[in-house]
Amino acid sequence: MKLVIKKELLLDGLNKVSHAISSKNLIPVLAGIKFDLKKNKLTLTASDNDITIETVIESKEKDDFKVEEEGSIIISGKYILEIVRKIPDKFINIDVVDDLKIMIYTENSEYDLNGISENEYPSINLEESKKKIEINSKVFRESINETAFATSTEETKPILTGINFKITGNTLEFNSTDSYRLARKIITLDKASDDSYNIVVPSHNLLEFTRIMDEDDKAFVELHIFNSKILFKYKNTLFQSRLISGTYPNTSNLLPDSYYMVISANLNELYSVIDRASILTSDKDKNTVTLETSGNTLIVKSNSVEIGRVEEKMGITKNIEDDIKISFSAKYMMDALKAFSTDTVEINYVGEIKPIILKSKEKENLTELVLPIRTY
């Protein structure tokens, strides 16, 4: 294998596939990146058995890269990424000699690395299904970021560590919960799906996928769903993840059909008020604050015997004259508020021991739920 390639092209590809390299992997070959060089394209592949990423670098301009000899080799992901990142030259030469010796050089730099034979790399099947589902890339990226935070980090409940995708007709529903909060986003697909799906994808893997997506709001993500895996296709990159086996809990019954009180507030101001009120909370895990209304004033308080107390006020509007008092985790509430990229937010109150529902008229397809905390 021998080629000359533009540094920025190679670095972009390496940055994408490196998301699939784990430092904890016990299989040495999976710490490497597979280079597969053909006449007019370079394919990079990396996998940690949980996710697999493949990206294709093709020559768009005459001098993007020059192939002098085709071939394949496994190169240490950690070292090739660092070398390419730090080399200041515009073009990089990669030359494999004696089958497993890799020379990486420019006019002023030279590195020799030991490679691994491509025959040792596990067989990976990145097949595409005949029934793909397409989603606008911006909508997909936003939906993952608006729901992933509510997944569980406890491996004792593995099904809750993922985001639930429910697809029926032209509706795709994203659900996530850790039993204390819930996030739901519903989007309408441009083309209806022939089949219905109810799958759970690890949220960590989905976040890794969104990190390799660019800001092209007109691009699309293809979903190819199989029994135990899902393949995402985005431009010149394939991203495959395992699915979490098991039955996702039915979260629909947690969302009430009507509300006793609806409070409308400025989103940024409400977030800041809760943030400041939580400064003096002693338990950083629960960091409980209390919210109460007095007419059109919202009062957020926290109290700690060891530290002291704080009280914050802001103006609101509500649909009835009654007043309420409710306590909740400041962290969970702030996480939920961050999911809304809107000017205003609605706090929908059902009862003092019922879930608090957050919605916004500016983003009606997003719902966030936070459970209250008893303080007596």
Side-chain angles (χ1 to χ4, degrees):
M1 187 182 94
K2 189 173 183 179
L3 83 154
V4 183
I5 186 167
K6 192 177 286 186
K7 171 189 168 174
E8 64 183 58
L9 273 181
L10 181 57
L11 184 59
D12 180 62
L14 291 172
N15 280 330
K16 288 176 180 175
V17 298
S18 65
H19 287 270
I21 295 176
S22 171
S23 58
K24 300 177 182 178
N25 211 303
L26 299 177
I27 306 173
V29 72
L30 293 184
I33 295 172
K34 182 180 178 182
F35 281 62
D36 187 16
L37 181 64
K38 300 298 183 187
K39 186 176 181 180
N40 59 353
K41 67 179 182 180
L42 172 63
T43 303
L44 304 177
T45 307
S47 178
D48 66 357
N49 281 333
D50 195 40
I51 60 175
T52 300
I53 306 174
E54 178 185 283
T55 191
V56 177
I57 302 172
E58 294 184 283
S59 181
K60 295 179 181 178
E61 298 179 10
K62 190 175 181 180
D63 65 344
D64 279 348
F65 65 80
K66 180 182 177 183
V67 178
E68 296 185 17
E69 185 179 330
E70 296 182 358
S72 298
I73 191 74
I74 315 299
I75 307 177
S76 166
K78 174 184 176 182
Y79 294 114
I80 186 66
L81 184 60
E82 282 297 297
I83 289 169
V84 173
R85 184 180 288 147
K86 293 180 179 179
I87 282 179
D89 302 74
K90 185 177 181 181
F91 288 93
I92 296 173
N93 295 268
I94 301 177
D95 190 358
V96 178
V97 294
D98 298 331
D99 293 334
L100 296 179
K101 294 291 183 182
I102 305 151
M103 293 176 59
I104 302 163
Y105 59 94
T106 64
E107 186 178 350
N108 300 308
S109 305
E110 184 176 321
Y111 302 84
D112 291 344
L113 292 178
N114 295 321
I116 302 174
S117 170
E118 63 160 326
N119 297 326
E120 294 188 35
Y121 207 74
S123 176
I124 295 171
N125 182 13
L126 295 173
E127 63 179 325
E128 299 178 26
S129 68
K130 294 179 181 178
K131 297 180 179 179
K132 66 181 179 182
I133 297 164
E134 288 190 324
I135 310 170
N136 174 272
S137 60
K138 180 183 178 183
V139 173
F140 181 85
R141 188 171 61 247
E142 285 182 348
S143 300
I144 298 303
N145 290 329
E146 290 165 352
T147 54
F149 71 90
T151 56
S152 176
T153 56
E154 296 181 11
E155 292 299 329
T156 53
K157 295 180 180 178
I159 197 72
L160 299 185
T161 63
I163 297 178
N164 174 222
F165 288 34
K166 290 179 70 175
I167 304 171
T168 307
N170 66 343
T171 300
L172 169 53
E173 194 176 291
F174 299 85
N175 292 297
S176 63
T177 183
D178 61 1
S179 298
Y180 302 101
R181 50 187 172 171
L182 165 70
R184 169 171 294 173
K185 175 75 176 284
I186 300 174
I187 65 171
T188 301
L189 302 170
D190 292 337
K191 182 181 178 183
S193 171
D194 295 331
D195 297 328
S196 295
Y197 300 94
N198 191 346
I199 60 172
V200 183
V201 188
S203 64
H204 171 76
N205 298 357
L206 289 166
L207 288 170
E208 289 294 340
F209 177 51
T210 62
R211 290 183 184 114
I212 66 177
M213 297 169 69
D214 56 32
E215 298 297 320
D216 185 354
D217 295 343
K218 295 182 180 179
F220 280 82
V221 176
E222 293 180 12
L223 277 60
H224 300 265
I225 302 171
F226 301 89
N227 288 333
S228 60
K229 65 181 183 180
I230 183 168
L231 177 72
F232 299 99
K233 184 177 182 180
Y234 177 69
K235 295 186 176 181
N236 62 340
T237 300
L238 299 176
F239 184 105
Q240 184 167 277
S241 167
R242 68 178 174 90
L243 298 180
I244 302 175
S245 60
T247 303
Y248 201 79
N250 179 15
T251 55
S252 298
N253 54 7
L254 295 173
L255 300 173
D257 296 324
S258 58
Y259 308 104
Y260 168 68
M261 179 184 290
V262 179
I263 299 169
S264 297
N266 178 275
L267 176 64
N268 289 335
E269 188 179 357
L270 178 61
Y271 181 92
S272 298
V273 162
I274 295 172
D275 188 21
R276 291 194 297 271
S278 68
I279 292 173
L280 301 188
T281 54
S282 55
D283 189 336
K284 287 299 178 185
D285 291 327
K286 292 183 179 179
N287 57 3
T288 306
V289 299
T290 299
L291 176 154
E292 59 183 82
T293 62
S294 176
N296 285 334
T297 299
L298 184 72
I299 306 164
V300 180
K301 305 176 181 178
S302 70
N303 184 38
S304 169
V305 176
E306 302 90 352
I307 305 170
R309 65 180 295 276
V310 61
E311 180 176 302
E312 289 275 348
K313 296 180 180 180
M314 65 173 287
I316 54 162
T317 59
K318 50 190 173 76
N319 62 335
I320 58 175
E321 293 183 1
D322 294 2
D323 288 316
I324 61 166
K325 182 177 181 179
I326 192 168
S327 299
F328 51 81
S329 160
K331 179 185 183 304
Y332 286 0
M333 182 63 76
M334 289 162 64
D335 284 346
L337 290 172
K338 277 192 287 189
F340 292 93
S341 53
T342 57
D343 293 328
T344 59
V345 67
E346 291 181 349
I347 303 172
N348 296 278
Y349 177 80
V350 183
E352 61 180 20
I353 58 171
K354 298 289 185 180
I356 307 161
I357 310 296
L358 301 179
K359 295 181 74 70
S360 175
K361 290 179 179 177
E362 300 160 73
K363 188 172 278 193
E364 294 183 342
N365 59 351
L366 178 64
T367 304
E368 304 286 350
L369 176 154
V370 177
L371 288 181
I373 296 173
R374 287 180 180 269
T375 55
Y376 54 89

